[in-house]
Amino acid sequence: SQQGEEDPQALSIQEGENATMNCSYKTSINNLQWYRQNSGRGLVHLILIRSNEREKHSGRLRVTLDTSKKSSSLLITASRAADTASYFCATGPGAQKLVFGQGTRLTINP
Amino acid sequence: ETGVTQTPRHLVMGMTNKKSLKCEQHLGHNAMYWYKQSAKKPLELMFVYSLEERVENNSVPSRFSPECPNSSHLFLHLHTLQPEDSALYLCASSQALGPGRGRYEQYFGPGTRLTVT
């Protein structure tokens, strides 16, 4: 299976701190994506990193990819209460067939 | 979340009912998806339509029947469901260039929370 697995399953930090989530996968990939889901809502695409990239930034988000270890990390800097959500990584054997992990539930405490 | 709408947002149905979920995307995409999200389970891909053809059916029971009349609309027809079918059903869309090809980013609707009693 190419399923991504996030770690930790749950993370609780204070507002202003940085949050780091990790994703591991099993087979070769073309790219890896991160999505956010607020409670009971749809997923929102955050960032896509290609297999030939090692790091990518988008605002307060920083994603790294280590294809030799088949892992990726998502760093959210200077966290805010609005960052409270579940975060999922997704990989795909091709477009139109993404496989999602179980997600990391992030709670930002005021 | 914007750009993909789903109705209804909440649905309670008995095991003998027939209902339909509707999804509409306003992004000009040509691939649409149904996912099932149950508590404590990964998001499960159910069906994929690309360029209005069904290209994926992940061993979904026949009590779920998808319909894609055009590239902007997607339905999920439900009949004789079981309590274990209670879940959040998510619709998504993306831009396809052909079967298995296209942009990887998917755009999701807010979901329909389905409860089967």
Side-chain angles (χ1 to χ4, degrees), chain A residues 3 30-31 33 35 37 40-43 45 48 88 94-98 100 102, chain B residues 1 9 33 37 40-42 48 50 56 96 98 100-101 104-106 108-110:
Chain A
Q3 184 178 26
N30 180 284
N31 61 69
Q33 302 180 59
Y35 287 81
Q37 183 181 32
R41 307 282 291 181
L43 279 71
H45 180 263
L48 179 151
F88 298 87
Q96 302 148 37
K97 190 170 183 179
L98 293 184
F100 289 82
Q102 288 196 278
Chain B
E1 258 178 53
R9 295 294 308 278
Y33 311 76
Q37 188 176 36
K40 299 184 179 179
K41 291 178 70 175
V48 180
S50 178
E56 189 75 28
R101 298 186 301 115
Y104 282 75
E105 298 91 331
Q106 293 186 11
F108 284 78

Side-chain angles (χ1 to χ4, degrees), chain A residues 6-15 17-22 34 74-77 79-81 83-87 103-109:
Chain A
E6 290 88 347
D7 170 63
Q9 291 190 356
L11 178 61
S12 181
I13 62 173
Q14 295 300 119
E15 193 168 15
E17 294 180 340
N18 296 341
T20 300
M21 290 156 272
N22 303 295
W34 285 91
L74 170 66
L75 168 67
I76 303 174
T77 60
S79 63
R80 305 168 181 169
D83 295 328
T84 294
S86 291
Y87 292 81
T104 292
R105 291 191 312 281
L106 176 64
T107 302
I108 309 300
N109 301 305

Side-chain angles (χ1 to χ4, degrees), chain A residues 7 12 16 19 24-25 29 34-36 55 61-62 86 89 93:
Chain A
D7 170 63
S12 181
S24 60
Y25 56 92
I29 60 171
W34 285 91
Y35 287 81
R36 183 190 74 228
E55 187 171 311
L61 305 181
R62 173 179 164 241
S86 291
C89 66

